[in-house]
Structures are given as C-alpha cells and as structure tokens.
Amino acid sequence: SPAATLMIGDRLSTDIAGGAGVGLKTAFVLSGVNRREDVNGFAHTPDLIAQHLAELVTIWRAALA
C-alpha cells in the first residue's frame, strides 16, 4: 500500500516526482545528478534527504524507533 511504501531515488524529476505523484513517501539520495539545492522550488519536496544510502538507512531506522 502507498502508506507502507517508500520511494527511494536520486533524481528529482523521475524518482521523486513519480513516487509523490502516486501518493508515496519519498527519499532523495544525493548520489545522482541532482543536488540538495535543486530541491528548493521543486514541485515535490522529498520526505527524507540523505547524502548516501547508508545514511538513509540510519535515518529510516531512527524514524521507526
């Protein structure tokens, strides 16, 4: 279900926009072409932003605790 799904991606225009467009929570990982600054003014603000996947795992575990 969308409530139990996290879309993880490194491109705002495809991964984050696509996930948000179908009602998913989104996590933006800064390993792709987009940078943190690119989020400003973007139509869909990611729910989480992480430098890399390992950091995302740490953030997600803390959120579940």
Side-chain angles (χ1 to χ4, degrees):
S1 74
T5 304
L6 177 67
M7 174 61 184
I8 301 169
D10 63 1
R11 289 180 182 254
L12 292 170
S13 63
T14 55
D15 305 330
I16 303 307
V22 295
L24 302 178
K25 297 251 185 225
T26 58
F28 177 44
V29 181
L30 300 171
S31 60
V33 297
N34 293 117
R35 300 174 316 218
R36 184 179 298 271
E37 300 82 41
D38 296 332
V39 172
N40 296 332
F42 188 68
H44 304 283
T45 302
D47 296 291
L48 300 170
I49 300 175
Q51 192 66 34
H52 44 74
L53 193 54
E55 182 183 28
L56 177 61
V57 171
T58 300
I59 293 168
W60 190 249
R61 284 184 178 154
L64 294 176

